[in-house]
């Protein structure tokens, strides 16, 4: 009898634990609709994966009540139990790794971290499209792995940020791929293809199904957050048609047309008097009509509410609902549509068909992600497991990106690299040198492993002394004497200075461009007292004016590390001690402090000679620079020459020739009048010979520029038209080929916003070499 009781207890205990296991398994199941075990709901046409997605989306929308429809128009879409439709969270972030920001990501389960790659501004400095793609691929797979593990409530990642870095003070400049529209567009395409599960070349996703969804943001001309009395919520950006056409629109056009992005986010601000999220021409005519967006359009968070409460563009809250839905927006990050769409219907400011249009796009997206096809573990991407998160492969990729992105700005008399063997002691000074979180930048997640720059250097030189130097990064107080005493005791000194997220971030633009507080004074004092020249490491997203350090002979080397991600400490240490040859190039102009006198709210790209306005970005800025776009040194020397150019004269005859509209003597032709056949025949094949003339192997990008020989304010001073990475051993040489497309690369916008090609002489530029090409019209 006793044995029977014991047996029964064992059985009951076993059943209890099995029940707990089942409950736990249920709790971590990812959200999905059309569960095949639910015979009622699985029979609906919208659950039939064999039907076209458009038909399935129409079916699900037709079954919803008005109240159910309204609740689906916001980022936190609730479940609809009677139809077996799961809840969905649209807001997740993946700028440079699966992020802890947004409402869709949970790091409270078995997955506590995700690979954190460098902040985008540093990744951009590699000028390496293949690397950009591989990083995005890794982020997309880690996102899908987190979804499969039940720790991601949606697969719509609101990245990349593809606004150009128009003004160096912008707090979110760190999130961008720099200031060049073509380059930012290339980054957008690589990122979107990687995230969504497409091939590097594109075209793999013929059926439209996605690994995850990427979102091109912030559409458009949003590059001011909080400067003086201007706020992104109310700023009316007065943008010329000319600048829209050849500066602000191109990255988004590439993101949608070539990258096949499945989402666009409309920005808070107004452009020429119209809120972006209420601009029909922008969202429907251009993004959907001209560029062919297949996907959904989301507002930035609370942007719809701001149209009413802050911009006063809408007289009533229901007017904001009507303006955005009729413009083509589909989902509101925030609660405004949940609160006021029903009353907007009752007041006849919107029709139910406006809501249905938006919902069709939203449910289509969820179906493209495979979330209406039953249990996702049995479907494509269902085998992507948590083992991929923080995998050795992904962490090695984060290190590779940091290594190849770090830019060597100064190296007097080949001061760097240091000898690991001969460096007996090191002094590391800086308020953030022993902080791992600062390495991540904003929109960060939790790192797989946290290693500070100080810890990285200590791994190479055990006898490393540390002093913060400043009280905080803003350095309102500096312990100069104490820091100098430590510096005097060391063989070499590494100064880690710059910015952090208290100084530049979302909703925090800078007011000036120098190093904050007493940092410059501290650096100068230590450099003057140290026995050998010091190394200055700059950690920042936006550029800073370090002219004082550039000109100081006691500062032997300057390295810009951006916010280098979780591999940053290892990458910096390897570069300082010569285990890796730096090859990064600046993706943005570094301006002098005086540039802060230029009003940040002035959106004009081109200079204005009559009032001394200097213009913006390397393409138009005509003032002094601390460092130029594309600048970056190496531990070796590279030489460049034009090996061959397939044609040096472009004949555009028998076409409509226009006089320029800017009171210039030159003639031009509209690209729209040329036609694709003529454009294709005009393609120039350019072969550039590259030789590593030094003693150290290295990888670096080769940048090809174009300059129009008639220097005029309306025309870019030069434009980047191609970039390729080359990896050469010491003494090795190679050739790299660029396909130059005149109908794309030789164009500029006229004052009407039309793309034209000017007649005359152009120069292809690489390194110090140039090659003339003439356009005849």
């Amino acid at each position: 009898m006793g044995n029977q009781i014991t047996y029964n207890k064992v059985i009951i205990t076993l059943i209890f634990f099995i029940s707990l296991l089942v409950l736990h398994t249920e709790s971590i199941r990812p959200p999905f609709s059309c569960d095949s075990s639910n015979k009622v709901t699985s029979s609906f046409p919208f659950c039939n994966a064999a039907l076209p997605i458009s038909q399935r989306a129409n079916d699900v929308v037709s079954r919803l009540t008005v109240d159910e429809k309204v609740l689906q128009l916001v980022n936190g879409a609730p479940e609809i139990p009677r139809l077996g439709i799961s809840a969905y969270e649209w807001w997740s972030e993946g700028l440079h790794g699966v992020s802890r920001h947004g409402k869709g990501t949970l790091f409270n389960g078995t997955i506590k971290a995700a690979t954190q790659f460098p902040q985008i501004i540093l990744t951009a400095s590699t000028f390496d499209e293949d690397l950009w793609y591989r990083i995005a691929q890794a982020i997309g797979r880690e996102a899908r792995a987190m979804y499969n593990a039940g720790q991601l409530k949606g697969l719509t990642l609101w990245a990349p940020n593809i606004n150009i870095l128009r003004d160096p003070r912008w707090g979110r400049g760190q999130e961008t791929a720099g200031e060049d529209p073509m380059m930012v567009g290339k980054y957008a395409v690589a990122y979107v293809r990687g995230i969504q599960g497409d091939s590097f070349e594109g075209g793999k996703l013929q059926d439209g199904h996605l690994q995850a969804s990427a979102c091109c943001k912030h559409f458009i001309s949003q590059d001011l957050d909080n400067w003086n009395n201007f706020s992104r919520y109310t700023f009316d950006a007065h943008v010329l048609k000319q600048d829209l056409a050849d500066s602000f629109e191109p990255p988004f056009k590439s993101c949608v047309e070539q990258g096949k992005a499945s989402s666009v986010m409309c920005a808070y601000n107004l452009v020429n008097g119209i809120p972006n999220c209420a601009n029909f021409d922008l969202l429907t005519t251009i993004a959907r009509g001209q560029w062919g967006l297949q996907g959904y359009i989301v507002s930035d968070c609370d942007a719809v509410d701001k149209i009413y409460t802050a911009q006063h563009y809408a007289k009533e809250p229901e007017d904001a609902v009507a303006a955005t839905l009729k413009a083509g927006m589909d989902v509101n990050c925030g609660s405004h549509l949940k609160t006021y769409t029903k009353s907007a219907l009752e007041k006849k400011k919107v029709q139910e068909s406006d809501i249905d249009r938006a919902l069709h796009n939203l449910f289509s997206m969820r179906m493209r992600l495979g979330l209406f096809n039953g249990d996702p573990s049995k479907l494509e991407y269902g085998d992507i497991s948590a083992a991929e998160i923080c995998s050795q492969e992904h962490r090695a990729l984060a290190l590779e990106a940091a290594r190849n992105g770090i830019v060597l700005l100064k190296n007097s008399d080949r001061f760097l690299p240091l000898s690991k063997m001969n460096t007996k002691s090191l002094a590391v000074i800086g308020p953030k040198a022993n902080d791992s979180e600062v390495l991540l930048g904003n929109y960060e997640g939790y790192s797989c492993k946290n290693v500070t720059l100080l810890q990285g250097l200590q791994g190479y030189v055990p006898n490393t002394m540390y002093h913060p130097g400043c009280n905080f990064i803003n350095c309102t107080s500096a312990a100069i004497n104490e820091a100098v005493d430590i510096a005097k005791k060391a063989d070499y000194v590494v100064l880690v200075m710059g910015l952090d997220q208290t100084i530049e971030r979302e909703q925090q633009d800078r007011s000036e461009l120098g190093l904050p507080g007493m940092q410059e004074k501290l650096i100068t004092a230590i450099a003057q007292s140290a026995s050998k020249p010091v190394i200055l490491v700059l950690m920042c997203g936006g550029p800073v004016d370090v002219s004082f350090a550039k000109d100081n002979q006691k500062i032997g080397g300057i390295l810009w590390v951006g916010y280098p991600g979780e591999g940053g400490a290892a990458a910096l240490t390897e570069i300082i001690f010569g285990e890796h040859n730096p090859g990064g190039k600046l993706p943005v102009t570094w301006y002098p402090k005086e540039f802060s006198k230029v009003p940040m709210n002035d959106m004009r790209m081109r200079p204005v000679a009559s009032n001394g306005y200097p213009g913006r970005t390397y393409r138009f800025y005509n003032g002094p620079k601390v460092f130029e776009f594309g600048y970056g040194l190496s531990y070796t020397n590279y030489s460049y020459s034009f090996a061959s150019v397939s044609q040096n004269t472009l004949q555009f005859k028998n076409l409509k020739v226009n006089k320029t509209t800017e009171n210039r003597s030159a003639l031009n032709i509209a690209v729209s009048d040329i036609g694709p056949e003529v454009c294709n025949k005009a393609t120039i094949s350019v072969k550039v010979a590259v030789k590593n003339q030094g003693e150290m192997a290295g990888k670096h990008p080769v940048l090809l520029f174009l300059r129009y020989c008639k220097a005029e304010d309306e025309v870019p001073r030069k434009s980047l038209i191609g970039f390729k990475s080359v990896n050469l051993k010491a003494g090795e040489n190679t050739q790299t080929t660029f396909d130059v497309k005149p109908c794309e690369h030789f164009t500029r916008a006229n004052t009407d916003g039309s793309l034209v090609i000017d007649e005359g002489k152009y120069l292809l530029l690489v390194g110090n070499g140039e090659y003339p090409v003439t356009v005849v019209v």
Side-chain angles (χ1 to χ4, degrees):
M1 186 67 176
N3 289 339
Q4 183 64 43
I5 293 171
T6 302
Y7 176 77
N8 290 341
K9 285 182 178 179
V10 170
I11 293 298
I12 291 169
T13 303
L14 186 60
I15 291 171
F16 174 73
F17 280 113
I18 290 173
S19 299
L20 285 179
L21 182 62
V22 170
L23 286 171
H24 177 68
T25 303
E26 286 293 320
S27 69
I28 63 170
R29 284 179 66 185
F32 67 91
S33 306
C34 300
D35 190 339
S36 60
S37 65
N38 186 333
K39 300 304 180 183
V40 176
T41 59
S42 63
S43 64
F44 292 137
F46 68 77
C47 289
N48 185 352
L51 295 176
I53 285 178
S54 180
Q55 183 178 337
R56 296 171 68 196
N58 284 337
D59 180 68
V60 70
V61 172
S62 72
R63 296 176 185 275
L64 303 181
T65 66
V66 169
D67 288 339
E68 288 170 336
K69 288 179 179 181
V70 168
L71 294 177
Q72 294 294 311
L73 293 172
V74 292
N75 60 284
E79 65 177 342
I80 307 173
R82 69 181 185 87
L83 298 177
I85 295 174
S86 66
Y88 187 81
E89 178 55 62
W90 290 91
W91 182 8
S92 295
E93 302 283 354
L95 181 69
H96 55 104
V98 178
S99 170
R100 65 182 179 88
H101 299 275
K103 296 187 176 182
T105 316
L106 304 170
F107 283 102
N108 61 355
T110 56
I111 300 169
K112 305 292 186 184
T115 311
Q116 298 301 301
F117 296 93
Q119 183 60 291
I120 304 309
I121 194 70
L122 187 74
T123 298
S125 66
T126 65
F127 286 81
D128 187 339
E129 292 176 82
D130 178 70
L131 176 66
W132 300 342
Y133 171 78
R134 287 185 287 127
I135 290 173
Q137 237 186 350
I139 297 170
R141 290 187 70 84
E142 292 200 6
R144 181 60 84 151
M146 287 194 69
Y147 168 80
N148 289 343
Q151 290 186 232
L152 192 63
K153 296 187 288 183
L155 285 161
T156 39
L157 305 181
W158 290 352
N161 180 340
I162 56 170
N163 300 110
I164 61 168
L165 212 176
R166 175 187 65 92
D167 191 290
R169 292 162 287 188
W170 188 30
R172 302 187 72 174
Q174 60 183 290
E175 301 174 29
T176 76
E179 69 185 22
D180 182 81
M182 184 275 284
M183 176 188 170
V184 176
K186 295 278 191 186
Y187 175 81
V189 171
Y191 178 95
V192 169
R193 287 175 177 170
I195 285 286
Q196 295 191 164
D198 205 348
S199 60
F200 174 74
E201 299 81 9
K204 174 185 172 185
L205 304 176
Q206 295 294 339
D207 61 0
H209 288 96
L210 305 174
Q211 171 180 266
S213 166
C215 174
C216 315
K217 67 181 187 184
H218 310 82
F219 193 42
I220 194 168
S221 303
Q222 183 188 304
D223 42 32
L224 178 155
D225 265 54
N226 189 2
W227 176 83
N228 283 1
N229 293 320
F230 294 92
S231 163
R232 62 181 180 172
Y233 299 126
T234 55
F235 178 50
D236 187 359
H238 295 285
V239 185
L240 301 173
K241 292 180 180 179
Q242 188 174 32
D243 293 334
L244 273 172
D246 64 10
S247 288
F248 295 107
E249 286 184 354
F252 289 91
K253 186 174 188 286
S254 297
C255 196
V256 174
E257 279 192 344
Q258 298 172 40
K260 305 299 181 186
S262 50
S263 177
V264 165
M265 176 184 285
C266 52
Y268 290 111
N269 59 294
L270 305 90
V271 172
N272 300 328
I274 304 174
N276 281 311
C277 291
N279 192 326
F280 180 87
D281 286 342
L282 195 64
L283 305 187
T284 298
T285 304
I286 295 176
R288 289 200 185 279
Q290 295 178 16
W291 300 344
L293 173 68
Q294 297 295 317
Y296 73 102
I297 296 176
V298 58
S299 77
D300 208 335
C301 294
D302 292 324
V304 180
D305 179 70
K306 299 300 181 187
I307 291 173
Y308 168 63
T309 59
Q311 299 170 4
H312 307 298
Y313 182 84
K315 292 182 180 180
E316 297 181 346
E318 291 83 3
D319 292 327
V321 174
T324 53
L325 285 178
K326 289 181 180 295
M329 190 198 77
D330 301 309
V331 63
N332 167 209
C333 179
S335 60
H336 193 93
L337 261 60
K338 180 170 68 174
T339 306
Y340 296 108
T341 300
K342 185 78 175 290
S343 55
L345 269 172
E346 292 167 351
K347 292 182 178 182
K348 301 189 184 307
K349 292 180 182 290
V350 294
Q351 288 75 48
E352 194 168 350
S353 59
D354 297 319
I355 299 171
D356 291 350
R357 177 206 57 76
L359 293 178
H360 182 276
N361 291 329
L362 296 178
F363 282 108
S364 293
M365 176 52 55
R366 291 168 68 173
M367 290 170 183
R368 290 176 64 187
L369 290 164
L371 308 186
F372 275 67
N373 295 351
D375 185 353
S377 66
K378 300 175 182 178
L379 304 172
E380 185 180 15
Y381 308 120
D383 59 347
I384 299 177
S385 74
E388 295 210 21
I389 300 174
C390 292
S391 66
Q392 188 59 42
E393 179 186 356
H394 289 179
R395 294 184 61 204
L397 184 59
L399 175 58
E400 178 188 347
R403 280 177 182 147
N404 294 339
I406 291 174
V407 181
L408 180 63
L409 297 174
K410 178 182 179 180
N411 195 20
S412 299
D413 301 322
R414 296 180 177 250
F415 178 68
L416 290 172
L418 302 182
S419 166
K420 185 177 177 181
M421 182 179 298
N422 296 330
T423 303
K424 305 302 181 185
S425 62
L426 203 62
V428 178
I429 298 169
K432 290 289 183 175
N434 199 29
D435 183 336
S436 60
E437 187 175 349
V438 71
L439 304 179
L440 306 182
N442 68 353
Y443 281 93
E444 78 289 0
Y446 298 104
S447 296
C448 307
K449 187 176 182 181
N450 297 310
V451 182
T452 70
L453 298 185
L454 173 63
Q455 290 169 334
L457 292 165
Q458 285 174 328
Y460 275 54
V461 184
N463 184 15
T464 294
M465 299 165 282
Y466 171 65
H467 194 284
C470 298
N471 54 344
F472 301 107
I473 194 71
N474 61 3
C475 205
T476 54
S477 174
I480 293 177
N481 291 337
E482 293 178 20
V484 164
D485 287 343
I486 289 176
K488 286 179 178 179
K489 298 174 184 176
D491 287 345
Y492 293 98
V493 179
V494 177
L495 293 156
V496 180
M497 299 290 166
L499 313 175
D500 73 357
Q501 300 307 302
T502 66
I503 293 174
E504 56 169 356
R505 68 177 187 278
E506 187 169 8
Q507 300 193 60
Q508 179 69 50
D509 298 329
R510 287 184 288 160
S511 59
E512 54 90 29
L513 293 173
L515 288 171
M518 298 179 69
Q519 281 194 30
E520 182 174 328
K521 187 176 181 180
L522 175 66
I523 293 166
T524 302
I526 292 172
Q528 188 62 37
S529 304
S531 61
K532 298 183 182 70
V534 302
I535 302 161
L536 176 59
V537 175
L538 295 171
M539 192 154 38
C540 53
V544 291
D545 183 351
V546 288
S547 300
F548 77 95
K550 183 180 174 184
D551 300 330
N552 189 332
Q553 295 182 350
K554 292 284 287 179
I555 298 175
I558 304 176
L559 287 157
W560 174 64
V561 300
Y563 297 116
E566 65 176 63
L572 175 66
T573 305
E574 290 176 7
I575 287 172
I576 287 177
F577 288 98
E579 293 185 11
H580 183 79
N581 188 355
K585 306 286 186 184
L586 292 178
V588 62
T589 302
W590 283 37
Y591 299 84
K593 294 177 183 177
E594 291 72 28
F595 189 84
S596 61
K597 297 175 183 177
V598 176
M600 193 173 174
N601 61 307
D602 193 326
M603 301 295 292
R604 291 175 296 178
M605 299 300 296
R606 289 159 167 82
V608 181
S610 60
N611 63 9
Y613 181 73
R616 295 177 180 276
T617 77
Y618 82 96
R619 296 170 67 231
F620 300 108
Y621 174 65
N622 60 15
K625 308 173 187 71
V626 180
F627 295 109
E628 292 199 30
F629 174 91
Y631 176 82
L633 303 174
S634 168
Y635 292 156
T636 191
N637 296 314
Y638 299 102
S639 65
Y640 312 91
S641 61
F642 287 98
S644 66
V645 178
S646 61
Q647 53 181 324
N648 59 15
T649 302
L650 301 175
Q651 300 272 357
F652 293 107
K653 292 293 188 180
N654 303 317
L655 294 169
K656 181 182 178 182
V657 178
N658 308 303
K659 289 186 177 180
T660 60
T661 58
E662 299 92 6
N663 298 316
R664 298 165 57 239
S665 58
L667 302 176
N668 63 44
I669 50 174
V671 174
S672 59
D673 290 336
I674 297 177
E677 185 176 345
V678 175
C679 282
N680 290 335
K681 287 183 178 179
T683 298
I684 306 170
S685 178
V686 177
K687 290 185 178 179
V688 174
V690 187
K691 184 173 183 179
N692 182 344
Q693 295 182 315
E695 300 175 355
M696 188 174 186
K699 178 181 179 180
H700 80 292
V702 179
L703 309 184
L704 181 66
F705 292 91
L706 181 74
R707 172 177 288 146
Y708 185 55
C709 289
K710 293 181 181 179
E712 301 177 23
D713 289 345
E714 291 298 323
V715 179
R717 299 169 68 82
K718 66 176 181 179
S719 295
L720 182 69
I721 60 172
F723 50 91
K724 296 278 184 72
S725 288
V726 296
N727 199 344
L728 295 174
K729 297 176 183 177
E732 191 176 16
N733 59 71
T734 190
Q735 289 188 1
T736 187
T737 301
F738 297 90
D739 288 329
V740 178
K741 301 175 181 179
C743 292
E744 176 184 344
H745 299 132
F746 279 57
T747 63
R748 67 171 180 91
N750 64 16
T751 53
D752 296 327
S754 300
L755 296 179
V756 298
I757 298 176
D758 292 309
E759 69 165 359
K761 184 179 176 182
Y762 294 77
L763 292 175
L764 297 169
L765 308 171
V766 62
N768 294 320
E770 57 184 46
Y771 193 96
V773 175
T774 301
V775 171
V776 179
V777 300

